[in-house]
Amino acid sequence: ARLQVAAELLGLEPAALLAALTTRTVTALARGESESFSVRLDGAKTRHARDNLAKAVYSALFDWAVGFVNCKLGALAAAAERDCFIGILDIFGFESFDTNGFEQLLINFANEKLQATFNQHVFAAEQELYAAEGISWRSVRWPDNSETIGLIASKERGRAPGVLHLLDETSRLPNQTDADFNKRVHDAHGAATALRRPDPRARAAKFAVRHYAGEVTYNAAGFLDRNNGTVSADLVTLLGSSAHTLLAAAFAA
């Protein structure tokens, strides 16, 4: 029933959608000739294919919606004449659940960056302006979350690569597991105050980060698969044949 509903919403035949989610076409060269065959995916890979499909559809339709709104508002033409910008800031999206994974890390990292921007403009920049204009004021101190941001995303020379870069590095290596990635995080940042060591019994599978809003423990299970958001060529081709013109156009080659 769920497959039927999903296929109807995507404008696809249920059998075709099922095949694209549960199998993958592999092309190999043999004696100078290419040969294609179908490989069946296990349950975990099928679930990741489903999730990647959902994210790809959302991303494509979101990009279309932004372009459509800009076109209707004449934003592109106006931008050529003057600097036009409308910003929407949502800083209240910090997440901490009983089980936190890859998505929570990305959401919380985005909020760390938003908090840093907020600190810079509300505190640092204003105090610099007061000093420059000779205004009497009392210095305000605020929590500095730059170490947490560096822990997650640093790629500077001379510093250990951040968690996200360690994840990319691990994803590119053969035969790596989520446990290997988690070990790399602890090995690279064991002395960092922004990285907290979880209970020794959980350390092999988890790492904890001190965020500005509080400490969050992340379960490394599924990080490698979720970091690979690639949609298979079979699914892209199928979406390009959708009965919904908009969706088909978004995935047209």
Side-chain angles (χ1 to χ4, degrees):
R2 294 179 180 178
L3 176 66
Q4 184 74 33
V5 172
E8 183 177 348
L9 292 173
L10 294 172
L12 303 171
E13 289 295 326
L17 178 58
L18 178 63
L21 287 172
T22 58
T23 63
R24 178 169 56 90
T25 301
V26 176
T27 301
L29 288 175
R31 296 183 296 277
E33 296 183 358
S34 62
E35 180 181 356
S36 298
F37 54 94
S38 182
V39 176
R40 182 166 293 279
L41 305 179
D42 60 25
K45 287 184 171 58
T46 295
R47 288 190 291 273
H48 290 307
R50 175 203 60 194
D51 294 346
N52 290 342
L53 169 64
K55 288 185 285 187
V57 170
Y58 178 90
S59 178
L61 295 182
F62 185 87
D63 289 345
W64 174 86
V66 171
F68 179 81
V69 171
N70 283 340
C71 181
K72 291 301 181 181
L73 294 177
L76 298 181
E81 301 175 5
R82 64 185 188 278
D83 185 18
C84 298
F85 176 77
I86 298 177
I88 300 175
L89 176 61
D90 176 11
I91 201 168
F92 301 104
F94 188 83
E95 292 190 353
S96 179
F97 304 125
D98 291 337
T99 301
N100 301 287
F102 181 57
E103 290 78 7
Q104 280 68 50
L105 178 64
L106 297 184
I107 290 169
N108 292 341
F109 173 60
N111 278 278
E112 288 286 356
K113 295 286 285 186
L114 288 173
Q115 182 68 25
T117 301
F118 178 85
N119 289 344
Q120 176 62 34
H121 287 283
V122 173
F123 296 115
E126 285 299 313
Q127 291 188 135
E128 290 174 3
L129 179 62
Y130 283 11
E133 296 184 355
I135 299 174
S136 178
W137 55 283
R138 188 189 328 180
S139 178
V140 176
R141 299 186 65 181
W142 64 93
D144 181 5
N145 64 340
S146 59
E147 183 177 356
T148 299
I149 291 174
L151 168 71
I152 298 173
S154 174
K155 54 181 179 180
E156 300 175 10
R157 287 188 175 181
R159 292 188 61 180
V163 172
L164 295 179
H165 296 286
L166 288 172
L167 180 59
D168 285 339
E169 289 178 5
T170 309
S171 297
R172 288 192 292 266
L173 296 173
N175 303 321
Q176 295 293 292
T177 66
D178 294 317
D180 292 323
F181 156 68
N182 189 59
K183 183 177 184 302
R184 287 166 68 92
V185 170
H186 285 287
D187 289 347
H189 298 283
T193 57
L195 182 75
R196 300 295 296 272
R197 294 176 179 269
D199 184 286
R201 293 169 297 179
R203 188 184 173 196
K206 299 178 181 179
F207 62 94
V209 176
R210 292 180 60 186
H211 291 284
Y212 75 90
E215 182 176 319
V216 178
T217 298
Y218 297 97
N219 191 325
F223 264 61
L224 293 183
D225 284 324
R226 288 183 171 87
N227 189 48
N228 180 12
T230 304
V231 179
S232 70
D234 297 335
L235 279 170
V236 172
T237 301
L238 182 62
L239 289 168
S241 67
S242 170
H244 299 313
T245 306
L246 173 59
L247 191 59
F251 287 89

Coordinates of all heavy atoms in Angstrom, one line a residue, residues 10 21 48-60 231 235 239 251:
L10 N 4.7 10.1 -7.0 CA 5.8 10.4 -7.9 C 5.5 10.3 -9.4 O 6.4 10.6 -10.2 CB 7.0 9.5 -7.6 CG 7.6 9.7 -6.2 CD1 8.6 8.5 -5.9 CD2 8.3 11.0 -6.0
L21 N 14.4 0.7 -6.5 CA 14.8 0.8 -5.1 C 15.5 -0.4 -4.6 O 16.3 -0.3 -3.7 CB 13.6 1.1 -4.3 CG 13.0 2.5 -4.3 CD1 11.6 2.5 -3.6 CD2 13.9 3.6 -3.8
H48 N 18.5 2.9 2.3 CA 19.3 4.1 2.0 C 18.9 4.7 0.6 O 18.9 5.9 0.4 CB 20.8 3.8 2.1 CG 21.3 3.6 3.5 ND1 21.0 4.5 4.5 CD2 21.9 2.5 4.0 CE1 21.6 4.0 5.6 NE2 22.1 2.8 5.4
A49 N 18.6 3.8 -0.3 CA 18.2 4.2 -1.6 C 16.8 5.0 -1.5 O 16.6 6.0 -2.2 CB 18.0 3.0 -2.6
R50 N 15.9 4.5 -0.7 CA 14.7 5.2 -0.4 C 14.9 6.5 0.2 O 14.3 7.5 -0.3 CB 13.8 4.3 0.5 CG 12.5 5.0 0.9 CD 12.0 4.3 2.2 NE 13.0 4.5 3.3 CZ 13.0 3.9 4.5 NH1 12.0 3.0 4.7 NH2 13.9 4.1 5.4
D51 N 15.7 6.6 1.2 CA 16.0 7.9 1.9 C 16.7 8.9 0.9 O 16.3 10.1 0.9 CB 16.9 7.7 3.1 CG 16.2 6.9 4.2 OD1 14.9 6.7 4.1 OD2 16.8 6.4 5.1
N52 N 17.6 8.4 0.1 CA 18.3 9.3 -0.8 C 17.4 9.8 -1.9 O 17.5 10.9 -2.4 CB 19.5 8.6 -1.5 CG 20.6 8.3 -0.5 OD1 20.7 9.0 0.6 ND2 21.5 7.4 -0.8
L53 N 16.4 8.9 -2.3 CA 15.4 9.3 -3.3 C 14.6 10.5 -2.7 O 14.3 11.5 -3.4 CB 14.5 8.2 -3.6 CG 13.3 8.5 -4.5 CD1 13.6 9.0 -5.8 CD2 12.4 7.2 -4.6
A54 N 14.1 10.3 -1.5 CA 13.3 11.3 -0.8 C 14.0 12.7 -0.7 O 13.5 13.7 -1.0 CB 12.8 10.9 0.5
K55 N 15.3 12.6 -0.3 CA 16.1 13.8 -0.2 C 16.3 14.5 -1.6 O 16.3 15.7 -1.7 CB 17.4 13.5 0.5 CG 17.3 13.2 2.0 CD 18.6 13.1 2.7 CE 19.2 11.8 2.4 NZ 20.4 11.5 3.2
A56 N 16.5 13.7 -2.6 CA 16.8 14.2 -3.9 C 15.5 14.9 -4.5 O 15.6 16.0 -5.1 CB 17.2 13.1 -4.9
V57 N 14.4 14.3 -4.3 CA 13.1 14.9 -4.7 C 12.9 16.2 -4.0 O 12.5 17.2 -4.6 CB 11.9 13.9 -4.5 CG1 10.6 14.6 -4.8 CG2 12.1 12.7 -5.5
Y58 N 13.1 16.2 -2.7 CA 12.8 17.4 -1.9 C 13.8 18.5 -2.4 O 13.3 19.7 -2.6 CB 13.1 17.1 -0.4 CG 13.0 18.3 0.5 CD1 11.8 18.6 1.1 CD2 14.1 19.1 0.7 CE1 11.6 19.8 1.9 CE2 13.9 20.3 1.5 CZ 12.7 20.6 2.1 OH 12.6 21.7 2.9
S59 N 15.1 18.2 -2.6 CA 16.0 19.2 -3.0 C 15.7 19.8 -4.4 O 15.7 21.0 -4.6 CB 17.4 18.5 -3.0 OG 18.4 19.5 -3.5
A60 N 15.3 18.9 -5.3 CA 15.0 19.3 -6.7 C 13.7 20.3 -6.6 O 13.7 21.3 -7.3 CB 14.7 18.1 -7.6
V231 N 22.1 9.3 -5.6 CA 20.9 8.6 -6.1 C 21.3 7.8 -7.3 O 22.0 8.4 -8.2 CB 19.8 9.7 -6.5 CG1 18.6 8.9 -7.1 CG2 19.4 10.5 -5.3
L235 N 17.4 5.3 -10.6 CA 16.3 6.1 -10.0 C 16.2 7.5 -10.8 O 15.1 8.0 -11.0 CB 16.6 6.3 -8.5 CG 16.1 5.2 -7.6 CD1 16.7 5.4 -6.2 CD2 14.6 5.1 -7.6
L239 N 12.8 8.8 -12.6 CA 12.2 10.0 -12.2 C 12.1 10.9 -13.4 O 11.1 11.7 -13.5 CB 13.0 10.7 -11.1 CG 12.9 10.1 -9.7 CD1 13.9 10.7 -8.8 CD2 11.5 10.3 -9.1
F251 N 14.5 16.1 -13.2 CA 15.5 15.0 -13.2 C 15.8 14.7 -14.7 O 16.5 13.6 -14.9 CB 14.9 13.8 -12.5 CG 15.0 13.9 -11.0 CD1 13.9 14.4 -10.3 CD2 16.1 13.5 -10.3 CE1 13.9 14.6 -9.0 CE2 16.1 13.7 -8.9 CZ 15.0 14.2 -8.3

